[in-house]
Amino acid sequence: MSDATQILFAAGPKRWPTYAPLLRQALEDADIFYDLRPDIDDEDVEYIIYTPDSDVTDFTRFPKLRAVLNLWAGVESIIGNPTLNVPLTRMVDDAGLTQGMVEWVTGHVLRHHLGMDAHIVNPDHIWQPVAAPLSRARPVTILGLGALGQACGSALTALDFPVTGWSRSAKDVPGLTCLSGPQGLNEALQSAQILVLLLPNTPATENIVNSKTLALLPRGAVVINPGRGPLINDADLISALDSGQLSHATLDVFRTEPLPSDHPFWQHPKITVTPHIASETRPETAVHVIVDNIQRSLAGAPLRHLVDKTAGY
Ligand code: NAP
């Protein structure tokens, strides 16, 4: 066995050819490999670069394991793994991931704000000279003020949308009205002509969008969900669309992915489905986050972006 730090890339064979040269260039002294080679014992592995679609599910195989570094922002499918007893980090501050989400959210907010659909799909050639109000008259609320929620909020504020953000702990983000707690949620919803969900999927956030919370929105509001599918009670969402309480929902994430072809969301005229493409981890920038954390760990420094297993994110 060599003295080099042993790093297992358990993030799928398709990603390995892209990540291998980037990781090996950044961590010259480490031995980084995809899957387990015959000459590497499980017991030598010190770090695992991971995605939740990995075949690796039993972490007790790796007695020297020091940390698992998740390449994705969401950790709901690994956080409850009882064999995982070392620190788990998640993808935060990947500049590419953040920028991708800012672009996706801004694009979909502008689509609804400007009422673009009426002009893009107009088979009867109806002249509809109704201009949208300026963005300053279109309050947007973002549930979740983490790395992505804050970046999206700042981008929308720069376009002059009044933005309210809601999070678990109190926040102070320049330009945004920041709220927290149950009363803060009610207040955040009451003004939201456009509601953007950027919360993680945890026991506390599941079904946070339900008949009661939807009823607090101004009539005709729009829901945009690039967060996680379980944030929404699907049946309650459809009822709110059918009653006119909501005018549209743009959904990127679902309880079951891929969204089954017979799911009512596909058929609903007021739902836009996008296939979990709001933003993805970008290898060129994500590698810096992973490498920085491995180097910190090797130097005895605290890891960044640690998952709080009690809070669920
Ligand atoms: P993050 O930095 O962990 O931020 C999460 C935010 O949610 C924080 O503001 C947190 O509050 C808040 N929160 C968590 N639990 C809450 C609760 N019970 N009540 C109120 N607020 C709560 O996460 P992020 O990097 O911004 O990412 C957000 C989510 O986006 C991810 O978890 C993932 O599900 C999703 N995502 C989707 C895609 C896609 O392509 N569709 C891509 C990347 C990420 P505190 O600030 O008080 O901690």
Side-chain angles (χ1 to χ4, degrees):
M1 189 202 103
S2 80
D3 289 338
T5 305
Q6 306 288 310
I7 303 174
L8 170 63
F9 184 86
K14 283 192 189 150
R15 298 183 186 96
W16 176 236
T18 308
Y19 277 92
L22 297 169
L23 287 166
R24 285 179 171 151
Q25 187 184 16
L27 289 165
E28 281 176 351
D29 298 334
D31 190 2
I32 310 169
F33 44 93
Y34 166 66
D35 220 339
L36 295 172
R37 296 192 319 235
D39 58 323
I40 303 282
D41 290 329
D42 289 7
E43 63 189 37
D44 295 329
V45 171
E46 291 166 79
Y47 299 95
I48 297 181
I49 300 170
Y50 193 75
T51 51
D53 57 358
S54 165
D55 292 340
V56 175
T57 51
D58 178 8
F59 293 96
T60 57
R61 286 163 52 193
F62 311 106
K64 286 191 192 154
L65 191 60
R66 296 170 72 168
V68 174
L69 304 114
N70 197 49
L71 274 184
W72 295 357
V75 289
E76 63 270 33
S77 55
I78 178 184
I79 201 165
N81 185 322
T83 69
L84 180 61
N85 296 311
V86 296
L88 169 67
T89 67
R90 52 179 215 94
M91 187 49 62
V92 183
D93 284 349
D94 165 11
L97 176 81
T98 304
Q99 178 63 19
M101 186 59 82
V102 166
E103 291 179 11
W104 190 91
V105 166
T106 306
H108 286 278
V109 165
L110 284 172
R111 168 193 169 191
H112 294 298
H113 165 60
L114 295 173
M116 289 182 186
D117 292 17
H119 307 288
I120 293 170
V121 182
N122 187 8
D124 298 328
H125 303 169
I126 298 169
W127 188 254
Q128 306 169 88
V130 182
L134 291 176
S135 53
R136 71 173 73 114
R138 182 83 68 193
V140 177
T141 286
I142 302 177
L143 301 188
L145 272 185
L148 300 179
Q150 288 192 29
C152 292
S154 299
L156 292 170
T157 301
L159 289 173
D160 219 18
F161 287 97
V163 179
T164 299
W166 180 75
S167 55
R168 199 162 63 108
S169 55
K171 292 263 181 305
D172 185 6
V173 184
L176 271 65
T177 302
C178 297
L179 302 171
S180 60
Q183 187 48 40
L185 177 61
N186 291 353
E187 207 180 308
L189 294 171
Q190 279 159 4
S191 65
Q193 290 186 19
I194 299 179
L195 179 68
V196 179
L197 308 180
L198 276 168
L199 291 163
N201 173 19
T202 72
T205 61
E206 183 165 8
N207 290 323
I208 196 162
V209 174
N210 56 49
S211 55
K212 275 191 188 157
T213 49
L214 287 167
L216 294 173
L217 297 169
R219 192 162 176 81
V222 167
V223 170
I224 298 178
N225 185 16
R228 280 293 183 263
L231 299 174
I232 294 180
N233 178 308
D234 292 1
D236 289 357
L237 182 83
I238 289 178
S239 298
L241 287 162
D242 290 343
S243 72
Q245 171 60 9
L246 289 182
S247 61
H248 202 94
T250 294
L251 310 174
D252 185 57
V253 283
F254 307 91
R255 285 169 187 272
T256 305
E257 295 182 7
L259 185 66
S261 59
D262 60 351
H263 195 285
F265 285 172
W266 283 115
Q267 307 297 335
H268 202 288
K270 295 180 181 173
I271 293 181
T272 300
V273 169
T274 64
H276 202 145
I277 43 91
S279 190
E280 59 181 16
T281 303
R282 314 283 160 150
E284 297 74 18
T285 42
V287 158
H288 298 304
V289 179
I290 298 291
V291 168
D292 173 60
N293 249 344
I294 291 175
Q295 287 172 335
R296 291 173 72 88
S297 171
L298 290 171
L303 289 166
R304 299 178 70 219
H305 316 312
L306 265 180
V307 172
D308 174 346
K309 291 184 185 167
T310 313
Y313 68 102

